[in-house]
Amino acid sequence: AQSVTQLGSHVSVSEGALVLLRCNYSSSVPPYLFWYVQYPNQGLQLLLKYTSAATLVKGINGFEAEFKKSETSFHLTKPSAHMSDAAEYFCAVSEGGGNKLTFGTGTQLKVEL
Amino acid sequence: DAMVIQNPRYQVTQFGKPVTLSCSQTLNHNVMYWYQQKSSQAPKLLFHYYDKDFNNEADTPDNFQSRRPNTSFCFLDIRSPGLGDAAMYLCATSRPAGLAAYSSYEQYFGPGTRLTVT
């Protein structure tokens, strides 16, 4: 069975600082991994995805994530936080070929001046 | 622009009064999903359609039903809403990204319908 763990339900950073949101997964087959962002009262928007190609994945809004099989991790980073990055971020896993996602519990990112 | 549309964005219903939420898509995706998301929680999958094939999650209450009359539309029916059903309901769609057996079913979400039960 697949699962996702997001460490830290709330993360606070200063504007311009590095953003690091942690995600660890468990999957019995090669996983496909996703990061989604959700703004208040909105649906989820895909930031980036890993589908067994390059391990360093670049997404929208300057975010990127690195797939590390040895650590079963897929952490999301952004070099410099912007106020507009304040939102909830969800990591999700799909066991390869599967059409269902398993979501983590989410991390609320706060960006302070 | 191709997209997933949910109507209404906000819905208020009375305890026990049936309510229907709608979702339409212009992406021509073959898979459509309904999620329930409560405050500060991850989305919880209720069911999904792969074309016309309905797939119910084991823990989805019988109070929740769904219809997919054609590729573009999917409906969520709550037969007798309780106070605990107040939530954001998200519709999503997907299709295989490639032709290979292992394809990434990335999902595209609508803006959601926030349901209030009074």
Side-chain angles (χ1 to χ4, degrees), chain A residues 10 29-30 32 34 36 38 40-46 49-51 88 90 94-106 108, chain B residues 9-10 31 33 35 37 40-45 48 50 55 57 88 90 94 97 101-112 114:
Chain A
H10 292 82
V29 298
Y32 289 170
F34 306 84
Y36 284 87
Q38 186 177 32
N41 289 313
Q42 295 292 326
L44 278 68
Q45 180 183 9
L46 181 67
K49 62 180 180 180
Y50 166 76
T51 57
E88 182 122 33
F90 291 96
S94 168
E95 291 190 338
N99 58 2
K100 294 204 299 188
L101 293 179
T102 298
F103 286 93
T105 51
Q108 184 72 43
Chain B
R9 293 292 315 278
Y10 300 89
V31 190
Y33 308 79
Y35 291 87
Q37 186 181 27
S40 300
Q41 295 184 21
K44 177 181 180 297
L45 182 64
H48 73 279
Y50 193 125
N55 299 271
E57 293 301 296
M88 174 76 92
L90 297 167
S94 74
Y102 274 61
S103 298
S104 63
Y105 282 75
E106 62 192 75
Q107 295 185 16
Y108 296 81
F109 284 80
R114 182 163 296 282

Side-chain angles (χ1 to χ4, degrees), chain A residues 34-86:
Chain A
F34 306 84
W35 275 101
Y36 284 87
V37 61
Q38 186 177 32
Y39 299 99
N41 289 313
Q42 295 292 326
L44 278 68
Q45 180 183 9
L46 181 67
L47 275 178
L48 48 80
K49 62 180 180 180
Y50 166 76
T51 57
S52 75
T55 57
L56 182 61
V57 181
K58 294 186 183 299
I60 62 172
N61 302 340
F63 284 93
E64 63 182 38
E66 186 172 9
F67 173 71
K68 292 187 177 181
K69 184 178 179 180
S70 61
E71 300 177 8
T72 61
S73 69
F74 190 57
H75 302 330
L76 182 71
T77 61
K78 181 174 180 178
S80 177
H82 191 274
M83 295 296 290
S84 61
D85 295 326

Side-chain angles (χ1 to χ4, degrees), chain B:
Chain B
D1 287 341
M3 56 198 307
V4 181
I5 302 161
Q6 290 189 246
N7 286 307
R9 293 292 315 278
Y10 300 89
Q11 176 74 57
V12 180
T13 191
Q14 293 177 336
F15 182 93
K17 184 175 181 180
V19 65
T20 295
L21 309 182
S22 71
C23 176
S24 63
Q25 54 134 338
T26 60
L27 298 162
N28 202 32
H29 285 173
N30 56 338
V31 190
M32 293 187 77
Y33 308 79
W34 278 106
Y35 291 87
Q36 179 192 65
Q37 186 181 27
K38 296 190 176 181
S39 182
S40 300
Q41 295 184 21
K44 177 181 180 297
L45 182 64
L46 295 173
F47 24 62
H48 73 279
Y49 279 92
Y50 193 125
D51 293 323
K52 293 186 177 181
D53 293 333
F54 177 71
N55 299 271
N56 198 31
E57 293 301 296
D59 57 353
T60 297
D62 292 339
N63 197 27
F64 292 87
Q65 304 285 318
S66 185
R67 296 169 283 135
R68 188 179 186 185
N70 53 52
T71 300
S72 301
F73 286 87
C74 196
F75 300 97
L76 170 62
D77 301 309
I78 308 177
R79 294 193 296 186
S80 181
L83 297 179
D85 297 328
M88 174 76 92
Y89 289 88
L90 297 167
C91 175
T93 71
S94 74
R95 66 170 174 82
L99 296 178
Y102 274 61
S103 298
S104 63
Y105 282 75
E106 62 192 75
Q107 295 185 16
Y108 296 81
F109 284 80
T113 294
R114 182 163 296 282
L115 179 68
T116 300
V117 182
T118 61

